[in-house]
Amino acid sequence: MVLREKDLPRAERAALAADLRPILAEAGGTLVVAGPDPLGGDAAHLPAAGPYPPPRLGLVGRSCHDAAELARLTTEDYVTVSPVYPSRSKPGYGPPLRPARLGELIRLSPVPVLALGGIETPGQVRACVEAGAVGVAVLGAIMRAGDPGGAAAALTIPFEPPRTRHDREEVSRTGLRPTGPTEGSGLTAPSGRGRPQPPTAGAGKRR
């Protein structure tokens, strides 16, 4: 998670960072602070403009937008490349790279790339992953959602194993949920009552 809130006074921002770190730690996450000051932590995300070289911390990322900025990287651990799609959070930000150009920039990057900008659907996430991104960074799609947890979960589907991903996509498409293996369909109606099963080989034959 990246803490922005750059308009806050440093003391308030540092207090917010201190509150967030243990919450994220319980979930196995890391708080990354936007800007060169990690606010008492060990992770920072830097703008493309600098500073260069980056501070020596446990985790350092940088925002990049083109090949020239990627070429300036030194000891960073990862980068975000943006904007991949038109961004509702930043109207006019761009032009959007689209997955094809994203893939070209990923091949130029010496460090892992997170795709950023206008990513709102599992299909867009999948396109970024197929282009070579190790992950995505999302803001508006979750903050605007009526169910932020559900929105975040939906965006993780492309990162799941194929079987799990297929089941969750079926739930999203049909409203049916997966059950344990059966001879027929692996889905049941939301009420839990089984759907009619198709005939199996030899069904109905008497011996």
Side-chain angles (χ1 to χ4, degrees):
M1 174 180 172
V2 176
L3 172 63
R4 296 181 59 83
E5 303 297 340
K6 296 179 181 180
D7 56 330
L8 290 179
R10 186 187 186 283
E12 292 183 30
R13 199 165 176 244
L16 179 57
D19 289 341
L20 288 171
R21 285 191 181 100
I23 297 172
L24 288 169
E26 288 184 8
T30 299
L31 182 69
V32 180
V33 178
D37 180 359
L39 301 176
D42 198 32
H45 186 85
L46 307 174
Y52 291 93
R56 293 188 177 184
L57 298 170
L59 180 66
V60 176
R62 190 178 295 278
S63 298
C64 290
H65 312 87
D66 55 37
E69 291 174 353
L70 289 170
R72 296 184 66 187
L73 297 174
T74 55
T75 60
E76 290 85 346
D77 299 294
Y78 74 92
V79 295
T80 58
V81 170
S82 65
V84 182
Y85 298 100
S87 172
R88 285 199 282 167
S89 300
K90 292 184 177 181
Y93 179 46
L97 299 167
R98 305 293 180 179
R101 181 55 179 160
L102 171 66
E104 293 173 358
L105 293 176
I106 288 172
R107 288 188 286 275
L108 294 175
S109 176
V111 295
V113 171
L114 298 174
L116 169 67
I119 299 170
E120 299 192 356
T121 69
Q124 289 175 325
V125 174
R126 184 174 296 108
C128 292
V129 173
E130 290 174 350
V134 299
V136 301
V138 179
L139 175 66
I142 294 176
M143 294 186 67
R144 287 190 295 267
D147 176 12
L155 293 175
T156 67
I157 290 175
F159 297 101
E160 295 177 345
R163 178 68 256 174
T164 304
R165 181 166 65 243
H166 171 75
D167 285 344
R168 290 189 61 189
E169 287 173 342
E170 282 294 289
V171 172
S172 176
R173 182 177 66 83
T174 66
L176 304 175
R177 59 181 177 82
T179 63
T182 65
E183 286 187 305
S185 170
L187 299 172
T188 62
S191 66
R193 298 173 61 185
R195 295 175 63 193
Q197 301 298 312
T200 57
K205 292 184 179 179
R206 296 182 181 274
R207 295 188 181 275

